């Protein structure tokens, strides 16, 4: 009995729904918006009606102009990176002096005094402690400089203009304009860049930004690039040119990374991540003076320390692994030795060597320890007198000494170039991989983000090696 | 190590060509294999039902040869499947003519419902390009269960039309009225509103998309000749071949409903010109539509060009004192009208 009137109402509702049509909701909402806007217009008065301040407009005309837009952008990026690299040098060397020359001997003495067996002190001090110390010394200063600088630019309002300038390129590669921001963030740290992709609201474009972030050369990799470029590329030209050649080589690698970022964004959006950009609207906020101290405080707490902590967590086991594989002998050779022999053929094929590949495997947790690990392993294999023994990472003060050791390890100009390429194109560090997993919650996308750059790295170094051998020898 | 880099390169080349052939998007052997291996006859049955339904709708009667040609399957398999369908009371075979039974029609409608709902879903909730909607819905219509379809409909607010303007059948099999006329049959001077853009065949749909013709636009036919059809819409003149115009459906409207034709697309707003927002096109959907409203793109808002990106067509527009960057295809979906000074 009760059912009948309800059914009638439902039928009526159904009937009316057809008559009203699909756009009813939209029209209603838009009506409300329009009415609200009208009321606001009637009852409020503002200083400069709807306009923007003259200064803002002037700045915008310059930073987005055809002539100056791009030069200004590159100049600012170059300045930020330069301040980071140069500024980090002093605190870095102070930290490493403290960690390696003061604390380490002290710990070693302590271990002897309390009669710690050699393997335990080796494992803990030469392995775990060294890796952690290295990561902090190399990583903390540049991040503590880069992130605040970056946040200041963000706060000032310049970064959205970068996204605006570059939008066309991102559109062409099927990505979101805001990826420009996460990309530049990646120059500081890929893990931070991956977290920053949260500003992209549509999931498809966000995935593209996450997967391609690794193509931004991060702080952990700049030192490798600079060292190798100075030692090998700078050495083949006359003295007065060497500085310029080394710098341009490093910048070239960074630009190549950007090119690969666009290329793989395009590739992804044509294959596994098909589709066009769903939403793109970017607010260009008014410029405002950055809140200096607050910015510095939050960027150090939010970005630097979190990333550093994760890196330390991952670096400790890596140090342990490095020490173990160099000190455990199986059948008359250390595990590291066996692995190097195993990787040598593959390494040779792509213009690298087994030592480098092994170093990249054990240094997955942190790119910072690649060069120290390579040096340590090279010394171990070749028997050159340097360093402090098996499993103890080290770096040399003089670039020439470094070059000599590496040459003794069979390095050529090709090895150096390919190492620079491989340093750009290889799997992200484990901190980044973990962050990608946390952000995407997907094993599939995490593996794609991990393997895509690695595969590209193998292909590129392989091609370069073959062409080099055919034409140069 | 002794090896020849040229050989290595050659091996690499052969390997990459091989992998490309297997994994090439859509045409690659791997995908083809994956597609056929999943097919247990269900897809084909449903495709036949859909095809027959569309034919009957347009007053044609299906036969085996026609189905063979449109669906591109071999005749032996088709005959077998059709006899199975007849046994299941989906269709009747009268000599060589095939006619849908009542349950066959219902089945076909439910497939069409799923297809159109999925297109609506893709349009509203995802970033897939319009060119992809059809192909994706074509696969999805065979995969969704009845329950999933109903859930989807509810989530989308029980829509009546799909993004192309086709009515979505209800779960009871009813469809909304659809009384448009093909653009190719409208005489000069007719005014109307575009209510449907046919997405098949793809090459004609591509033409429609390329011209940036959008659903819900008001139009006025300027010329209707043998070789071309010209119409005016949103500040521009569009010239089409009759074959393309055939696939555009227009609802004829009275002169009074043809609102001031002075409105045009925001993408055509020149520097220093001042305008007011008239409306946002229906093609701007879902999240992006709401976002635009939030940013202040509502009827009557003054708007002008603020900045141009150094490369490409992205422009920043000044709306309510804030500069907002939009890509060209988005700006083309906002209608504005010049402000009188």
């Amino acid at each position: 009995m009760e059912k009948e009137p309800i059914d009638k109402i439902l039928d009526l509702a159904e009937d009316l729904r057809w008559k009203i049509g699909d756009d009813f909701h939209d029209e209603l909402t838009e009506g409300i918006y329009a009415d609200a806007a009208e009321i606001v217009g009637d009852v409020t008065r503002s200083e400069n009606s709807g306009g923007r301040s003259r200064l803002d407009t002037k700045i915008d005309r310059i930073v987005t102009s055809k002539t100056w837009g791009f030069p200004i952008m590159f100049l600012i990026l170059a300045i930020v990176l330069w301040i980071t690299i140069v500024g980090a040098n002093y605190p870095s060397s102070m930290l490493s002096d403290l960690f390696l020359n003061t604390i380490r001997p002290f710990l070693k003495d302590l271990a002897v005094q309390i009669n710690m067996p050699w393997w335990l002190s080796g494992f803990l001090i030469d392995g775990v402690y060294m890796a952690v110390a290295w990561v902090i010394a190399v990583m903390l200063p540049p991040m503590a400089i880069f992130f605040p600088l970056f946040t200041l630019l963000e706060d000032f309002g310049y970064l959205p203009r970068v996204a605006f300038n570059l939008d066309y390129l991102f559109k062409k590669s099927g990505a979101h304009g805001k990826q420009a921001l996460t990309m530049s963030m990646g120059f500081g740290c890929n893990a931070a860049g991956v977290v920053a992709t949260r500003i992209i609201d549509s999931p498809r474009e966000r995935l593209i930004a996450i997967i391609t972030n690794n193509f931004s050369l991060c702080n952990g990799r700049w030192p490798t690039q600079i060292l190798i470029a100075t030692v090998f590329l700078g050495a083949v030209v006359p003295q007065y040119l060497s500085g310029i050649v080394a710098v341009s080589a490093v910048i070239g690698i960074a630009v190549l990374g950007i090119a690969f970022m666009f290329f793989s964004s395009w590739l992804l959006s044509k294959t596994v991540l098909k589709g066009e950009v769903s939403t793109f609207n970017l607010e260009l906020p008014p410029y405002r003076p950055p809140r200096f101290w607050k910015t510095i405080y939050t960027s150090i707490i939010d970005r630097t320390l979190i990333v550093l902590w994760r890196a330390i967590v991952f670096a400790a086991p890596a140090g342990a692994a490095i020490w173990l594989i160099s000190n455990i002998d199986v059948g008359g050779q250390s595990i590291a030795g066996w692995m190097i022999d195993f990787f040598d053929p593959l390494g040779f094929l792509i213009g690298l060597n087994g030592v480098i590949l092994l170093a990249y495997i054990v240094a997955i947790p942190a790119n910072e320890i690649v060069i120290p690990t390579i040096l340590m392993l090279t010394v171990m294999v070749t028997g050159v007198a340097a360093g402090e023994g098996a499993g103890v990472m080290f770096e040399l003060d003089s670039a020439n000494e470094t070059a000599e050791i590496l040459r003794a390890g069979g390095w050529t100009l090709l090895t150096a170039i390919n190492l620079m390429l491989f340093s750009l194109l290889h799997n992200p560090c484990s901190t980044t991989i973990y962050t990608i997993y946390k952000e995407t919650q997907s094993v599939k996308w995490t593996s794609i983000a991990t393997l895509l750059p690695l595969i590209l790295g193998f292909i590129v170094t392989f091609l370069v090696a073959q062409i080099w051998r055919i034409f140069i020898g | 190590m002794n090896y020849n880099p040229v050989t290595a390169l050659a091996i690499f080349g052969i390997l990459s060509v091989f992998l490309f052939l297997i994994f090439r998007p859509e045409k690659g052997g791997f995908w083809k294999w994956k597609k056929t291996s999943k097919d247990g006859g269900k897809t084909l049955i449903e495709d036949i039902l859909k095809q027959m339904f569309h034919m009957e709708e347009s007053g044609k009667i299906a036969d085996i040869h026609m189905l063979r040609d449109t669906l591109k399957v071999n005749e032996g398999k088709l005959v077998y499947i059709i006899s199975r369908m007849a046994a299941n009371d989906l269709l009747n075979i009268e000599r060589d003519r095939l006619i849908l039974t009542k349950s066959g029609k219902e089945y076909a409608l439910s497939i069409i419902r799923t297809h159109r709902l999925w297109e609506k879903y893709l349009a509203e909730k995802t970033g897939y390009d319009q060119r992809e909607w059809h192909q994706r819905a074509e696969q999805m219509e065979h995969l969704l269960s009845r329950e999933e379809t109903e859930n989807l409909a509810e989530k989308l607010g029980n829509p009546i039309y799909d993004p192309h303007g086709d009515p979505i059948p209800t779960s009871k099999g009813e469809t909304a009225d659809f009384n448009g006329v093909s653009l190719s049959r409208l005489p000069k001077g007719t005014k109307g509103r575009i209510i449907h853009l046919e997405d098949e065949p793809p090459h004609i749909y591509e033409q429609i998309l390329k011209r940036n013709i959008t659903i819900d636009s008001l139009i006025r036919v300027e010329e209707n000749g043998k070789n071309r059809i010209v119409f005016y819409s949103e500040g521009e003149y569009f010239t089409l071949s009759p074959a393309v115009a055939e696939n555009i459906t227009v609802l004829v409207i009275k002169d009074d409903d043809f609102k001031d034709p002075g409105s045009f697309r925001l993408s055509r707003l020149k520097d220093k010109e001042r305008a007011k927002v008239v409306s946002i096109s229906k093609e701007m959907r879902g999240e992006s539509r709401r976002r635009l409203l939030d940013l202040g793109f509502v009827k009557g808002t003054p708007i002008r060009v603020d900045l141009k990106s150094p490369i490409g067509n992205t422009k920043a527009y000044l709306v309510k004192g804030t500069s907002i960057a939009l890509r060209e295809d988005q700006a083309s979906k906002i209608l504005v009208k010049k402000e009188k000074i």
Side-chain angles (χ1 to χ4, degrees), chain A residues 17-18 22-23 30 33 50 52 61 164-165 167-168 175 274 276-282 284 466 469, chain B residues 3 26 127-128 132 158 160-161 170 176 282 288-289 291 294 298 306 309-310 312 314 321 323 325 327 330:
Chain A
R17 235 178 59 73
W18 286 110
D22 243 356
D23 318 319
E30 275 153 46
Y33 271 103
R52 301 203 301 145
R61 292 247 185 275
F164 179 65
N165 283 347
D167 181 57
Y168 177 73
K274 263 192 168 176
E276 296 241 315
V277 171
S278 41
T279 55
F280 174 78
N281 36 61
L282 181 72
L284 303 177
Q466 309 319 314
R469 281 171 190 152
Chain B
Y3 86 114
E26 265 138 54
Y128 285 108
E132 299 236 339
N158 292 312
I160 303 173
Y161 294 100
T170 62
K282 257 197 201 162
S288 28
R289 187 185 187 91
R291 183 89 183 111
D294 286 341
V298 290
D306 188 31
S309 174
T314 304
S323 197
R327 287 178 178 171
Q330 287 176 300

Side-chain angles (χ1 to χ4, degrees), chain B residues 218 232 255-264 278 337 340:
Chain B
L218 293 176
Y232 170 89
D255 282 7
D256 317 347
D257 290 343
F258 193 74
K259 297 185 195 91
D260 192 332
S263 57
F264 58 97
V278 174
K337 203 160 124 181
K340 286 174 199 105

Side-chain angles (χ1 to χ4, degrees), chain A residues 31-316:
Chain A
I32 293 172
Y33 271 103
D35 284 349
E38 206 173 305
I39 294 170
V40 168
D42 284 347
V43 300
T44 58
R45 217 179 313 153
S46 68
E47 291 274 308
N48 46 359
S49 52
R52 301 203 301 145
S53 88
R54 294 208 88 121
L55 184 65
D56 270 21
T57 316
K58 252 187 200 152
I59 299 178
D60 269 343
R61 292 247 185 275
I62 297 170
V63 297
T64 65
S65 76
K66 273 205 163 61
T67 343
W68 296 108
F70 283 92
I72 289 176
M73 223 166 58
F74 286 120
L75 192 69
I76 291 182
L77 183 65
I79 291 173
V80 168
L81 291 174
W82 186 78
I83 296 177
T84 308
I85 293 164
V86 174
N89 263 341
Y90 304 99
S92 265
S93 59
M94 269 167 59
L95 279 177
S96 67
D97 196 48
L98 174 73
F99 285 135
L100 306 183
N101 299 338
T102 315
I103 299 183
R104 184 165 171 271
F106 170 75
L107 287 176
K108 274 280 182 189
D109 284 347
L110 196 72
V112 172
Q113 271 175 22
I114 60 168
N115 282 326
M116 203 185 259
W118 72 270
W119 53 266
L120 189 59
S121 80
F123 177 82
L124 288 177
I125 300 170
D126 294 336
V128 176
Y129 169 76
M130 282 290 275
V132 172
W134 217 289
V135 167
I136 296 176
V138 180
M139 205 165 160
L140 180 60
M143 291 216 306
I145 297 172
F146 181 86
F147 285 137
L149 283 178
F150 192 82
T151 319
L152 285 178
L153 278 180
E154 205 176 353
D155 222 28
F156 174 58
Y158 178 66
L159 290 184
R161 272 76 184 175
V162 173
F164 179 65
N165 283 347
L166 288 174
D167 181 57
Y168 177 73
L169 295 175
F170 284 99
K171 186 186 168 222
K172 279 276 151 187
S173 44
H176 198 287
K178 283 182 189 164
Q179 196 176 319
L181 306 186
T182 63
M183 177 195 82
S184 1
M185 183 65 131
F187 285 121
C189 170
N190 297 135
V194 169
V195 176
T197 60
R198 287 179 190 169
I199 55 169
I200 299 171
D201 33 25
S202 57
R204 191 190 74 87
E205 288 85 357
R206 181 156 177 237
L207 269 177
I208 292 183
I210 288 178
I211 295 172
T212 57
N213 195 273
N214 187 44
F215 293 114
S216 297
L217 202 60
C218 69
N219 264 333
R221 292 181 273 172
W222 285 100
T224 309
Q225 299 286 352
I226 294 168
L227 178 74
I228 301 295
T230 322
V231 168
F232 281 91
L233 299 185
V236 292
V237 291
Q239 188 75 48
Y240 65 96
L241 281 177
S242 64
I244 298 172
V245 168
V247 170
S248 355
V250 176
I251 292 174
I253 291 284
V255 172
L256 190 70
I258 297 177
F260 268 107
M261 185 274 300
F262 280 121
F263 170 70
S264 44
S265 298
W266 174 81
L267 197 71
L268 287 168
S269 66
K270 287 284 170 229
T271 53
V272 281
L273 283 168
K274 263 192 168 176
E276 296 241 315
V277 171
S278 41
T279 55
F280 174 78
N281 36 61
L282 181 72
E283 220 178 303
L284 303 177
Y287 293 102
R288 53 170 177 248
R291 289 153 297 172
F292 194 76
W293 292 111
K294 195 176 175 237
T295 305
I296 288 187
Y297 173 78
T298 49
S299 67
I300 286 183
I301 297 294
D302 285 355
R303 288 173 176 161
T304 314
L305 288 186
I306 288 174
V307 171
L308 187 70
W309 171 243
R310 276 194 195 165
I312 289 172
V313 169
F314 283 111

Side-chain angles (χ1 to χ4, degrees), chain B residues 11-173:
Chain B
I11 294 174
F12 174 79
I14 292 167
L15 209 66
S16 23
V17 169
F18 182 67
L19 286 175
F20 175 74
L21 286 178
I22 294 184
F23 291 106
R24 181 160 55 143
E26 265 138 54
K27 287 173 201 150
F30 176 74
W31 310 116
K32 277 191 179 158
W33 169 80
K34 218 176 155 190
K35 219 173 173 179
T36 48
S37 69
K38 256 194 288 185
D39 193 20
K42 182 173 178 275
T43 307
L44 185 56
I45 290 178
E46 293 178 347
D47 283 341
I48 293 171
L49 286 172
K50 225 171 45 161
Q51 198 59 41
M52 286 177 61
F53 181 83
H54 286 310
M55 283 180 179
E56 287 183 16
E57 282 285 281
S58 55
K60 283 180 258 175
I61 296 290
D63 62 53
I64 288 204
H65 301 288
M66 243 157 121
L67 287 176
R68 183 196 58 196
D69 294 343
T70 41
L71 296 172
K72 295 189 183 77
V73 280
N74 75 55
E75 202 164 327
K77 195 176 176 188
L78 194 63
V79 169
Y80 166 70
I81 293 272
I82 284 179
S83 63
R84 250 178 67 191
M85 288 166 75
N88 282 320
D89 191 33
L90 291 172
L91 52 79
N92 291 323
I93 308 175
E94 295 172 7
R95 265 180 247 125
D96 60 342
R97 305 193 319 168
L98 304 172
I99 292 161
L100 285 176
T101 62
K102 190 163 169 281
S103 63
K105 252 183 206 157
E106 274 167 16
Y107 195 164
L109 272 170
S110 78
I111 300 294
I112 292 169
R113 173 170 165 81
T114 311
H115 180 101
R116 292 184 178 165
L117 274 171
W118 193 254
E119 285 192 341
K120 181 82 177 169
Y121 165 76
L122 291 176
E124 292 282 332
K125 307 278 181 193
T126 70
Y128 285 108
D129 183 44
Q130 347 193 352
R131 291 166 185 82
E132 299 236 339
W133 295 344
H134 183 72
Q135 222 31 49
R136 286 185 179 265
E138 203 66 346
Q139 283 171 18
M140 217 53 198
E141 66 190 17
H142 306 300
L143 300 177
L144 286 184
S145 71
R146 197 162 262 254
E147 206 173 285
E148 284 166 325
T149 306
E150 290 322 306
N151 281 339
L152 183 67
E154 197 168 314
K155 228 173 107 187
L156 295 170
N158 292 312
I160 303 173
Y161 294 100
D162 80 353
H164 303 295
D166 282 313
I168 300 174
T170 62
S171 49
K172 289 173 199 144

